[in-house]
Amino acid sequence: SEEITDVRLIGMMYAFDMVSFERVEKVVKKCLEKGLISFWFLSHPNSFRLSPPLTISEVEINKAGRIILEAIAETAC
């Protein structure tokens, strides 16, 4: 998505940067409504993070990606 300005990762731990905390907050809340737990960083509020379990399947990874993209689209101004 063009609204994600940067992606940082270590293994399967991701940080997605967006333009503002307000934008991140909307996406995080929409993801939670759709069953995906994410959270913004307290030290970097313009980012939200994903830390999936080591046992996550490829199907679950793809589902999480779809949820994130849907959440971004559904909360766009």
Side-chain angles (χ1 to χ4, degrees):
S1 170
E2 293 176 6
E3 292 200 55
I4 295 175
T5 59
D6 194 21
V7 177
R8 296 181 310 282
L9 68 139
I10 297 176
M12 285 298 298
M13 295 184 296
Y14 282 83
F16 300 95
D17 294 348
M18 298 188 82
V19 295
S20 69
F21 169 75
E22 292 77 17
R23 194 69 191 99
V24 168
E25 183 179 33
K26 288 178 184 179
V27 171
V28 167
K29 287 181 177 180
K30 183 58 77 172
C31 283
L32 187 57
E33 287 175 19
K34 293 176 167 288
L36 179 67
I37 298 171
S38 63
F39 198 73
W40 53 86
F41 285 103
L42 296 177
S43 61
H44 197 279
N46 288 8
S47 298
F48 69 97
R49 64 187 172 115
L50 295 175
S51 299
L54 294 175
T55 57
I56 192 167
S57 70
E58 188 173 344
V59 170
E60 292 167 319
I61 291 168
N62 290 330
K63 182 177 179 181
R66 283 192 306 274
I67 289 172
I68 291 168
L69 292 175
E70 288 172 4
I72 290 169
E74 291 175 15
T75 58
C77 296

